Amino acid sequence: MLDVIIKSLWRNKTGPLLIIIQLSLTIAVVSTALFVVSERIAKIERPSGMIEEEIFNMWMRQNSSDSDMEHIVKRDMDIIRAMPGVIDAAPVSNIPVSGGGSATSLYKSPEEKLTDFNTAIYEMTDHGLPTLGLVLIEGRNFNANEVNFFAQENAPEQTVAIITKELAGKMFPDESAVGKAVYMGNVQLTIIGVVERLMGPWPDSEYATSATIIPEIIKDNTINYLVRANSEQRNEIMLSLVEKLRSIDSTRLISDEKSVMQIKRETYTSDYAMIKILSFVIFLLTFVNALGIFGLTTFWVTQRRKQIGIRRALGSTKAGVMRYFMLENVTLVVFSAIVGSAIAYVNSSYMARTHGTELLRIEYVLITVVFLLLVTLLAAYSPVRRGAQISPVEAVSNV
């Protein structure tokens, strides 16, 4: 039957060729769009290492240049931790997955700097790990006496550090990182602990999951307060704390109060926009193809009323007529899948060479082909079913 269907389509080739071109381009575009959407979703859903739903941030700026920032921060921390519903709080230099922060290179030797390991840098106190909810898998947390508030011009020459599992695996792939000394410029860092995961501020960077935490806090006039609270009371606690801290000193600025989930959503704004745009493109192309298949099948059925009548008169059943037209549409999709897959992989190979993107995976092409096959059959079902109802007498009565 397949050869008969192909010959039939070839006799009226303009319509089928247009549909094949349309479906081929749709397969190429939709499979690529699905791949990009899945990548963006996977990127957004990567665990940050934090208990995101329980954490919020407040940004504090002290206007007086001669203020004792260490005293102010410690006083604020006592006030925040005393608030009912607060689990813990910590001053931090910058916020994970926020789009802004600090980064540096670490070296395994101060003399050998040919091999460096890029990492995000966080400055936190000993309350940082429990505040963020980080999982310590090796070593220990900072001790309170290891936390150092220092002026920019009096940077320490050595300190301790906690790094992520990702960074530890890069620097010391065959041994434990705990107890090892690494170097940040001329500063020696002794690794005392390893956390399971902590995202850097920049989710698009190549070292997005490599982070280093040090207990050294610069006495700058600005700092972030991360607060972990009961998730059900988080927003109320956040607003209450902002008002309380403002009332203590009206000359300073307390602002940018946001949950970590909100900060994360803002960082991924472009990714969410891309997902929405590509989802709309997928819907639009699917809808246009469904209309095209519906229209073409309706035209074919109308054009072949006599042929349908003769087939019915010769003993063909309604199911047989429907099966024939459905197989025609399946044939169109098969040819389109071959052409569309070739277009998709040529485009993907070009993008991989010129822009360093990942090569399109075959499962996205297969998913698209199966999806469009189902859409095609559903779009063709109604006109095919109506055509199968034509009786032999009715089909040839106007001939």
Side-chain angles (χ1 to χ4, degrees), residues 38-56:
S38 68
E39 280 192 321
R40 296 300 174 103
I41 292 175
K43 173 183 160 187
I44 292 171
E45 292 182 346
R46 284 182 300 178
S48 65
M50 302 180 291
I51 304 179
E52 298 172 5
E53 65 277 7
E54 295 183 355
I55 306 170
F56 63 87

Side-chain angles (χ1 to χ4, degrees), residues 314-327:
L314 293 175
S316 180
T317 63
K318 294 179 181 179
V321 172
M322 291 186 67
R323 184 166 56 251
Y324 178 85
F325 280 103
M326 286 298 188
L327 283 174

Side-chain angles (χ1 to χ4, degrees), residues 10 33 53 91 178 192 267 287 319 336 340:
W10 187 249
E53 65 277 7
V178 175
I192 62 168
T267 302
F287 181 71
S336 302

Side-chain angles (χ1 to χ4, degrees), residues 124-129 140-147 160-162 192 213-215:
M124 301 182 192
T125 66
D126 52 314
H127 288 267
L129 267 62
R140 64 173 177 86
N141 190 11
F142 303 127
N143 294 323
N145 59 7
E146 292 172 324
V147 178
V160 293
I162 296 173
I192 62 168
I213 307 169
I214 57 176

Side-chain angles (χ1 to χ4, degrees), residues 169-185:
K170 291 178 180 178
M171 298 192 75
F172 305 99
D174 301 319
E175 54 187 328
S176 173
V178 175
K180 300 294 191 302
V182 296
Y183 296 86
M184 183 175 63

Side-chain angles (χ1 to χ4, degrees), residues 325-374:
F325 280 103
M326 286 298 188
L327 283 174
E328 277 193 343
N329 283 286
V330 170
T331 303
L332 290 176
V333 174
V334 170
F335 280 112
S336 302
I338 297 170
V339 178
S341 299
I343 295 173
Y345 274 100
V346 168
N347 176 68
S348 180
S349 298
Y350 172 77
M351 293 298 292
R353 289 195 309 271
T354 58
H355 294 82
T357 60
E358 288 191 32
L359 194 65
L360 177 66
R361 296 202 296 271
I362 185 64
E363 57 261 34
Y364 290 96
V365 178
L366 295 177
I367 290 171
T368 303
V369 170
V370 172
F371 174 68
L372 283 180
L373 176 61
L374 294 175

Side-chain angles (χ1 to χ4, degrees), residues 71-184:
H71 170 74
I72 292 170
V73 169
K74 289 181 177 179
R75 179 200 64 192
D76 289 345
M77 287 294 107
D78 289 339
I79 293 170
I80 293 170
R81 293 177 191 133
M83 172 74 73
V86 171
I87 299 171
D88 209 338
V92 298
S93 56
N94 45 73
I95 314 302
V97 204
S98 63
S102 301
T104 189
S105 294
L106 298 183
Y107 305 91
K108 296 174 71 172
S109 168
E111 294 82 19
E112 179 57 60
K113 293 188 176 182
L114 294 178
T115 303
D116 62 335
F117 301 88
N118 294 324
T119 175
I121 289 289
Y122 295 106
E123 299 165 1
M124 301 182 192
T125 66
D126 52 314
H127 288 267
L129 267 62
T131 298
L132 272 66
L134 304 183
V135 179
L136 189 68
I137 60 174
E138 191 178 359
R140 64 173 177 86
N141 190 11
F142 303 127
N143 294 323
N145 59 7
E146 292 172 324
V147 178
N148 179 33
F149 287 77
F150 67 96
Q152 184 73 53
E153 62 274 13
N154 298 320
E157 295 183 357
Q158 61 180 11
T159 185
V160 293
I162 296 173
I163 65 175
T164 58
K165 179 182 177 182
E166 175 83 10
L167 181 57
K170 291 178 180 178
M171 298 192 75
F172 305 99
D174 301 319
E175 54 187 328
S176 173
V178 175
K180 300 294 191 302
V182 296
Y183 296 86
M184 183 175 63

